[in-house]
Amino acid sequence: MSATTTTAVDRVSGHGRSLAAYGTALLIAVDAVVSTVGSETISDHSSGAGRLSEALVGIAFLTAAVALVLFLPRGVPARVTSLPGIAATALTGVAMLSVTVTGEEWPEPIVTVLVLVNLVGLVAQGVIGWRTRVWPWWAGLLVSLFLPAMFFLPNPVNSVVMALIWAGVGLAGRRS
């Protein structure tokens, strides 16, 4: 593909990028409410509020993957380097939705590898997006902090912070 050739992803306006990021933020914000209301049963992903929470976050991860695709930088090396984060984000969403459907968690070694690839991939995409001017430095930082917020902050604080992260990414999409 020549440097002047554009793909459908290249032609997406900032509004499309923002819409995907804001959709992710909305889903995670709804999860914060579910986590607050169902705080006693939220850790059980096989029933009730825990299952609903897992479904909301699973769909949010899928919409986050779409947003990341829409924020892909130009240039083959930058795009190839961004793909592991996108793929791992999407696969994490699939894993969460699988838990919602089956009521059973994926094996821990698979989840561990998936989380590590996702973490490294999102940090890489955050930096690459900033370096290629797809988004400002602060949006790259937000993307990089998404998984640490998920794992190191307590429920529902993590959901609030994660929703704010994606709202910030949505704002960056409107500016790009």
Side-chain angles (χ1 to χ4, degrees), residues 12 29 42 73-74 85 106 121 142 163 168:
V12 171
I42 202 71
R74 291 181 185 253
W106 282 21
L142 289 175

Side-chain angles (χ1 to χ4, degrees), residues 24-36 42 52-54 56-57 60-61 96 146-167:
T24 302
L26 179 61
L27 287 161
I28 295 172
V30 171
D31 176 62
V33 173
V34 169
S35 296
T36 301
I42 202 71
L52 177 58
S53 172
E54 194 78 357
L56 287 166
V57 178
F61 267 77
M96 291 175 169
F146 179 61
L147 282 182
M150 181 178 180
F151 287 106
F152 293 119
L153 296 174
N155 238 347
V157 173
N158 63 351
S159 293
V160 171
V161 170
M162 290 165 35
L164 289 172
I165 284 171
W166 282 101

Side-chain angles (χ1 to χ4, degrees), residues 74-97:
R74 291 181 185 253
V76 173
R79 285 186 174 193
V80 168
T81 307
S82 297
L83 291 179
I86 294 168
T89 300
L91 193 54
T92 300
V94 169
M96 291 175 169
L97 290 175

Side-chain angles (χ1 to χ4, degrees), residues 6-19:
T6 60
T7 65
V9 170
D10 293 325
R11 292 186 297 268
V12 171
S13 72
H15 295 296
R17 294 173 179 171
S18 292
L19 185 59

